[in-house]
């Protein structure tokens, strides 16, 4: 970090003009605009953004680079250090004091050429030794929200004029300013905004690189008004707070159009709101930019350019499936071929494509669009996702009649998709005849290039990786636990995809027709030499993009191994051992008919609920083992044999639905009983479609719960 002398060094107009020349070299600027830029004063740097069409974030980065100081794209509100400078002063100069973590003060500013600021600070403090950092004006403005009034004080750099309302409106109605600042803070940085009610307050959280971060706390009353304001903007019923609602609205920020998709739901603490932030100006990236290898790109293009067939992109929620499909469609010739889409909603525009959007309020349902599409003679049909048996069957019928269907499905990997399609009543024969290929993917956080730690792998890391790497890795990278200013002290920056493409050749098709198990098919495609997601992920560990731990937890743990659980379950006896780091020792082969107690694996991330369920079961004489999430459950299943699995649905790493899919994929026959607080009949339906033997809602009623456990065990023993 630099000290206060940075400001003194910039205390001249000549230094400001040096920065302009530096900026002109960084970005391509027409001569006419260069002359206009030189007429903008050093006190009005924010005007350069509009003139040169540069975002405020990028401008702050350029300023930090030129001055040799750190740029902070995100500052946590709790880091703000009160009492150093008044809010009026900070607002007037777009400046904020923060704690560096060493109990020292840093002044974070948006304009290092503010000559008035230097004069004011030197008159206020006799010996200025503050560290200096850079942030864009809107980040600083967001941090200056008054917690009591939720009103942003006047700042030197006003909110963009195209942000929904005028400055006068924002002064008169504080909640408008609060909404605007939250949107401004999220734009370009966060994929989602969560506004969640707690018992005594509201929490605003942003999802950045796949992880949620607490950003701001609000009073309960203010949070309710905040949600109401956002519901008004998206045309939702503000009086309805019990039933889920969906809506959207658009906002322009610095010449970029953002679409905000809202979804509300009711919780015991009140109404919750989630906003998906979509930058409509972003163009689809090329497939190589998403992380695919050149060979994968060529394979995918060859499959997509067939005259007929079914192409499926699979992965869990938030794995980038839609982005991959848009990138593929953007490369296809939509002038020679007619591309018709059914989306909910349309996220990106595809040149020359006929894109249709679901609008349930207007009676334009997914089903009605799908029925009408078949009469419009498209060459290529893009469905946002397969939702149910109807959409699955219709899209397969369309693909089998001389057309190409491209769509997505929520599932783990390429072979697991076969199991999911069977649950949607698609026959193995239809899959073998129609599917061209299945593309599976994951998004994994990339290590920050500026602070990652490179060193030799540990014995545990080598054990994780050895099956998927032909050569022993001599060095791997880890996230720096302290991070650095470039990555906001997280150790990560951005995400990248890992992929596998299962091309349906004659041998694969024959195995599917023969109703081979999912685990057998996966073993076969690996023996064929196919480049699986696990191989792709390990290659990126070798390239020092990902850490071994992240790759293991996100990808490798799901792969069958030499000690695959399916093998254990094929034998009459299985070895005993520790089920997980949180488990009691479970009898590996306990069966009622052999005089042993039934063994039950409880998968629950809530420790109190986990302990309660285990107590109920143990008092009935059952052996229990405990797991915190789906990953631990799979490890336990690889070591022990259980007669029943009782699983929550909402859990970290991967959830109960994903766990059930992986169990089926690995050929494990242990029945699964879902025990969840998840509201909504659709979750129960999905659970039974995936093969659950029962579905019990929390809170638990002891006698009913034990009776249904007994029934589930009776069917399995």
């Amino acid at each position: 970090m630099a000290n206060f002398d940075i400001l003194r060094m910039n205390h001249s107009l000549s230094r400001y003009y040096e920065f302009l020349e530096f900026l002109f070299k960084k970005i391509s600027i027409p001569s006419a605009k260069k002359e206009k830029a030189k007429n903008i004063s050093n006190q009005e740097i924010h005007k350069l953004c509009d003139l040169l069409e540069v975002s405020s974030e990028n401008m702050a980065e350029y300023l930090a680079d030129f001055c040799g100081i750190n740029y902070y794209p995100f500052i946590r509100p709790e880091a703000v250090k009160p009492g150093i400078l008044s809010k009026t002063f900070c607002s007037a100069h777009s400046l904020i004091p923060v704690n560096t973590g060493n109990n020292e003060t840093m002044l974070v500013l948006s304009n290092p050429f503010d000559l008035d600021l230097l004069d004011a600070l030197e008159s206020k403090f006799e010996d200025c030794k503050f560290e200096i950092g850079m942030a864009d004006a809107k980040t600083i403005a967001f941090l200056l929200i008054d917690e009591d009034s939720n009103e942003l004080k006047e700042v030197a750099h006003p909110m963009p004029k195209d942000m929904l309302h005028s400055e006068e409106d924002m002064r008169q109605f504080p909640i408008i300013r609060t909404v605007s600042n939250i949107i401004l803070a999220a734009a370009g940085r966060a994929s989602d905004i969560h506004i969640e009610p707690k018992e005594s307050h509201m929490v605003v959280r942003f999802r950045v690189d796949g992880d949620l971060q607490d950003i701001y706390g609000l009073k309960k009353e203010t949070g309710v008004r905040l949600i109401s304001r956002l519901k008004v903007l998206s045309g939702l019923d503000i009086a309805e707070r019990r039933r889920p609602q969906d809506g959207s609205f658009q906002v322009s920020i610095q010449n970029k159009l953002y679409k905000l998709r809202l979804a509300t739901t009711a919780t015991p603490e009140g109404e919750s709101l989630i906003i998906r932030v979509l930058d409509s100006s972003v163009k689809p990236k090329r497939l190589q930019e998403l992380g695919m290898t050149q060979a994968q790109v060529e394979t995918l293009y060859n499959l997509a350019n067939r005259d007929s067939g079914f192409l499926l992109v699979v992965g869990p929620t938030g794995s980038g499936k839609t982005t991959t499909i848009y990138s593929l469609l953007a490369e296809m010739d939509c002038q020679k071929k007619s591309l018709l889409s059914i989306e909910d909603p349309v996220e990106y525009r595809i040149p020359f494509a006929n894109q249709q959007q679901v609008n349930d309020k207007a009676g334009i349902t997914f089903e009605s669009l799908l029925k009408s599409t078949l009469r419009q003679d498209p060459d290529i049909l893009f469905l946002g996702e397969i939702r149910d048996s109807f959409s699955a069957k219709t899209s397969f019928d369309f693909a089998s009649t001389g057309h190409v269907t491209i769509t997505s499905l929520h599932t783990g990997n390429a072979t697991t998709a076969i199991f999911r399609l069977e649950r949607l009543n698609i026959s193995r024969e239809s899959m073998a005849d129609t599917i061209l290929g299945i593309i599976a993917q994951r998004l994994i956080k990339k290590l920050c290039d500026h602070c990652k730690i490179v060193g030799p792998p540990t014995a545990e890391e080598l054990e994780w990786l050895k099956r998927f790497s032909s050569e022993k890795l001599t060095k791997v990278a880890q996230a720096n636990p302290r991070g650095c200013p470039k990555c906001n002290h997280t150790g990560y920056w951005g995400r990248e995809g890992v992929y596998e493409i299962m091309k349906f050749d004659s041998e694969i098709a024959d195995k599917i027709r023969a109703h081979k198990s999912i685990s057998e098919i996966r073993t076969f495609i690996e023996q064929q030499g196919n480049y699986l997601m696990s191989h792709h992920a390990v290659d990126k560990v070798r390239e020092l993009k990902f850490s071994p731990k992240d790759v293991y937890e996100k990808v490798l743990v799901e792969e069958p191994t030499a000690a695959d659980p399916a093998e254990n379950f094929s034998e009459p006896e299985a070895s005993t051992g520790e089920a997980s780091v949180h488990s009691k020792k479970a009898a590996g082969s306990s069966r009622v008919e052999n005089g042993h107690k039934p063994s039950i694996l409880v998968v629950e991330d809530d420790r109190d609920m986990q302990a309660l369920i285990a107590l109920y079961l143990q008092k009935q004489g059952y052996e229990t083992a405990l797991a915190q999430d789906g990953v631990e459950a799979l490890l336990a299943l690889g070591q022990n044999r259980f007669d029943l699995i009782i699983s929550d649905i909402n859990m970290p790493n991967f959830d109960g639905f994903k766990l059930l899919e992986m169990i089926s994929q690995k050929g494990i026959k242990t029945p699964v009983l879902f025990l969840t607080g998840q509201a909504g009949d659709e979750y129960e339906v999905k659970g039974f479609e995936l093969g659950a033997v029962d579905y019990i809602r929390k809170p638990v009623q002891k006698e009913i719960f034990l009776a249904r456990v007994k029934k589930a065990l009776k069917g399995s023993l």
Side-chain angles (χ1 to χ4, degrees), residues 314-337:
V314 303
T317 301
S319 61
K321 299 185 295 296
T322 303
T323 300
T324 297
I325 293 176
Y326 274 119
S327 296
L328 174 62
L329 296 176
E331 295 294 324
M332 301 178 73
D333 190 347
C334 295
Q335 286 184 289
K336 291 184 178 179
K337 291 185 176 181

Side-chain angles (χ1 to χ4, degrees), residues 372 575 640:
S372 66
S575 61
N640 298 276

Side-chain angles (χ1 to χ4, degrees), residues 118-137:
L118 178 63
D119 293 337
L121 288 174
E122 287 191 323
S123 65
K124 191 173 183 67
F125 302 101
E126 292 182 3
D127 185 16
C128 294
K129 294 183 179 179
F130 294 123
E131 302 290 349
I132 299 296
M134 279 292 305
D136 63 284

